[in-house]
Amino acid sequence: MEFIRKWLQVIFTFAVNGNWSFPFTRGIYQGPLKVICSPGLNCYSCPASTTYCPIGSLQNLIGGVRLAIENGQHFFGLSVLGGMGVLGGLFGRLICGWMCPFGFVQEMLHKISSKKVKIPRLLNYGKYGVLLVFVVLLPLFMVDDFGSGGPWFCKTLCPAGTLEAGLPLLLLQPHLRSTLGVLFVGKMMVLVLFMVWSVFSSRPFCRVMCPLGAFYGLFSRVRLVRMQLDKQRCTNCEACHAVCPMEVKFNENPNDPECITCMACMSKACKCNAIYVEIGGVPIHAGAKPVESSSADVAVRQGQEG
């Protein structure tokens, strides 16, 4: 399963970044494919990108609300928010584990040999603060003289944008280097922080700062595709804890919003066939049907609970 997931990550990365003429055009792709929303975090301004970023578009939508109202326009293009909602309702954070280019980059960095460090659970709430403040509140209330808000997350924090767009454009268009300022230095520091952190901890940006992961996490209990736990089969051996890249304790909380549905717990750890995939309420794994607990299972549980 991990082999398939890695190949799908590669395929999605190239699918949303398919403009390989950029070394010759030296600009941003503006063709017809740019109306397609990338499911994962993928910068609109990346020279290779053929899609737009959902978080960047959401900021632009919110940033234009006040200007539209002041001009008497009460119709808003909610297709971006609706599209994100559909993706969240269908897949939730499965998108983070299977379709996000920057998540893939972090996973590759984590393979570098080093001492691995866990991320305190409390830091996971940081991304919800980023979603609220930088994606919603600042674009809505920090407006220019015309009443229009800006993409604050993209401008000040997004390491994916720095890696995929900022650095390549500086190489392709050297004249842009004269425009660099404090904001770019700050974004470079954020990028370096998370690149280095990824070597020692698994997916730190996804867990601590990513507003798209926070948004998709809101659908953890209602999404169509998700992992489920057969409590009658589970012996609470906690083997699933050790293999989860997001440090989810699946046997304790199968609906944890941090779960990216990478299926490592099911394919690598669980020997009891207690974890399975469910699509629209229909189990598609052999361990989906509850079974009567055997005397051996009962003995194991009692020993662990004792």
Side-chain angles (χ1 to χ4, degrees), residues 19-33:
N19 176 41
W20 292 102
S21 63
F22 71 86
F24 307 100
T25 62
R26 296 181 177 273
I28 301 171
Y29 173 78
Q30 300 287 348
L33 294 178

Side-chain angles (χ1 to χ4, degrees), residues 85-273:
V86 169
L87 288 172
L90 289 174
F91 305 110
R93 295 201 70 182
L94 177 147
I95 292 170
C96 305
W98 294 72
M99 307 176 194
C100 182
F102 197 66
F104 179 59
V105 169
Q106 293 173 84
E107 287 188 7
M108 293 298 100
L109 289 171
H110 193 60
K111 289 184 178 295
I112 297 174
S113 180
S114 67
K115 181 181 179 180
K116 304 306 179 184
V117 181
K118 291 187 176 183
I119 298 176
R121 180 80 180 181
L122 184 63
L123 295 182
N124 291 345
Y125 296 101
K127 59 182 170 292
Y128 296 99
V130 172
L131 175 63
L132 177 63
V133 175
F134 286 87
V135 179
V136 178
L137 296 182
L138 287 180
L140 188 60
F141 294 106
M142 293 290 289
V143 298
D144 57 24
D145 294 339
F146 299 99
S148 180
W152 287 91
F153 174 73
C154 300
K155 289 169 57 176
T156 61
L157 291 179
C158 185
T162 306
L163 179 65
E164 298 174 9
L167 295 178
L169 285 174
L170 288 176
L171 292 174
L172 294 171
Q173 302 180 28
H175 66 276
L176 293 177
R177 299 170 190 173
S178 61
T179 65
L180 299 182
V182 176
L183 282 179
F184 183 79
V185 173
K187 288 190 65 176
M188 275 299 301
M189 292 175 64
V190 173
L191 173 62
V192 172
L193 168 65
F194 282 105
M195 295 281 276
V196 173
W197 196 356
S198 294
V199 176
F200 301 98
S201 301
S202 177
R203 285 179 166 257
F205 176 73
C206 303
R207 296 161 65 183
V208 173
M209 186 180 283
C210 182
L212 187 58
F215 181 86
Y216 287 147
L218 299 176
F219 297 86
S220 61
R221 293 182 179 275
V222 298
R223 58 192 172 122
L224 192 72
V225 182
R226 55 180 171 172
M227 308 291 294
Q228 287 285 31
L229 178 71
D230 186 337
K231 294 184 178 180
Q232 294 190 57
R233 290 182 181 268
C234 180
T235 61
N236 290 315
C237 66
E238 300 184 356
C240 55
H241 297 192
V243 300
C244 180
M246 302 295 282
E247 297 180 16
V248 170
K249 297 179 179 179
F250 191 80
N251 63 311
E252 298 177 9
N253 185 11
N255 294 314
D256 194 316
E258 295 302 308
C259 177
I260 58 173
T261 320
C262 67
M263 304 184 192
C265 55
M266 182 182 73
S267 61
K268 293 182 178 181
C270 187
K271 305 300 182 183
C272 305
N273 213 20

Side-chain angles (χ1 to χ4, degrees), residues 7 9 12 22 41 52 74 111 185 244 254 261 273 292 300:
W7 270 107
Q9 286 177 304
F12 270 101
F22 71 86
L41 197 69
Y52 66 83
H74 304 295
K111 289 184 178 295
V185 173
C244 180
T261 320
N273 213 20
E292 294 296 331
V300 171

